[in-house]
Amino acid sequence: MNREPQTVPSHSQRRQLAPGGTPSSANFPRLKWSPLETPMQPLKALAISLIALATIAAAPALAAERVVLRYRGFSRSVPVEDLAILAETGEAPRSVAGLLRQAGQDPSAVQSALNRPIPADPVMLDRALNSVPGGWLLDQVGETIRPAAGGRSRQALRSALVLSAADDNQITLIEVLQNYPTAEVVLEGDRIHSTYNRLAQFLRPLSILL
């Protein structure tokens, strides 16, 4: 009976084979994993996205186009874009400059108020605003920033605050106005600083978690 000649592995092949003729595990890349290396950032991003979607779904699908700006008895409806220009450049467009001049307001001071940030994690912020103290805060801030047509200011303000924090973990007044979910929003200019202080005081315990 004829037998086929057996092929003897070469020296390099023998190095690649473990005892028993099976490939050695050394030939495969080793995967390293540590239980401490949990991908928290993607989970946090997902949570923020879900909160933003829920916030948008709970509010009308629009953003403020005009602001009824009030200072010391003077009032004028101005485009949100004009306040954004003031916040970015420090120069007040004509629609805003006349009112500020009548009310004796320095445009640079208004610019500072529009841009002054408050640190806020959007996930923690959403939870805090849905608590009893959070509802009280929304009512207080809602006296300064509220829908021009009246209605549910609490829900609208909560939506604007959470959406403002979603992008950069901070809240500014100009972002709140831009994200406010009604066509027109009232801003009581004389109360801006007291409202900022009240909001910052409420959110300060949450800022240490950032």
Side-chain angles (χ1 to χ4, degrees):
M1 181 176 179
N2 294 331
R3 295 183 178 179
E4 295 182 0
Q6 297 181 351
T7 302
V8 179
S10 65
H11 178 69
S12 61
Q13 291 174 324
R14 287 197 300 271
R15 290 183 60 189
Q16 297 175 358
L17 296 177
T22 58
S24 169
S25 61
N27 297 325
F28 298 93
R30 294 182 179 180
L31 299 178
K32 297 182 179 181
W33 177 84
S34 168
L36 298 179
E37 296 176 355
T38 306
M40 295 303 295
Q41 287 301 114
L43 292 178
K44 182 176 179 181
L46 177 60
I48 293 173
S49 299
L50 292 176
I51 289 174
L53 288 173
T55 301
I56 293 172
L62 60 120
E65 298 178 356
R66 301 189 69 84
V67 176
V68 179
L69 186 59
R70 295 180 176 176
Y71 272 106
R72 301 180 183 177
F74 298 99
S75 177
R76 181 171 297 178
S77 177
V78 302
V80 173
E81 293 179 358
D82 286 359
L83 284 181
I85 292 173
L86 172 59
E88 182 178 353
T89 67
E91 297 180 4
R94 182 178 301 177
S95 64
V96 182
L99 175 62
L100 297 183
R101 186 166 51 252
Q102 285 180 314
Q105 297 295 314
D106 183 0
S108 63
V110 178
Q111 179 193 28
S112 177
L114 291 171
N115 289 325
R116 192 176 178 187
I118 301 175
D121 178 275
V123 177
M124 299 298 295
L125 175 63
D126 182 69
R127 293 178 182 175
L129 293 178
N130 279 286
S131 67
V132 174
W136 176 85
L137 174 74
L138 290 171
D139 290 341
Q140 296 295 311
V141 176
E143 294 179 2
T144 301
I145 306 171
R146 62 183 186 276
R152 303 174 64 180
S153 62
R154 224 190 231 201
Q155 180 179 329
L157 183 56
R158 182 190 298 116
S159 170
L161 289 169
V162 173
L163 289 175
S164 299
D167 289 337
D168 52 8
N169 282 354
Q170 66 180 20
I171 296 169
T172 62
L173 177 57
I174 187 61
E175 289 176 340
V176 173
L177 296 174
Q178 290 170 329
N179 286 309
Y180 206 87
T182 62
E184 193 170 46
V185 56
V186 175
L187 175 62
E188 298 287 352
D190 295 324
R191 300 179 182 176
I192 289 178
H193 295 290
S194 61
T195 299
Y196 175 91
N197 293 334
R198 185 177 287 115
L199 186 59
Q201 183 178 7
F202 177 82
L203 296 178
R204 188 172 296 116
L206 303 181
S207 66
I208 64 175
L209 301 177
L210 296 179

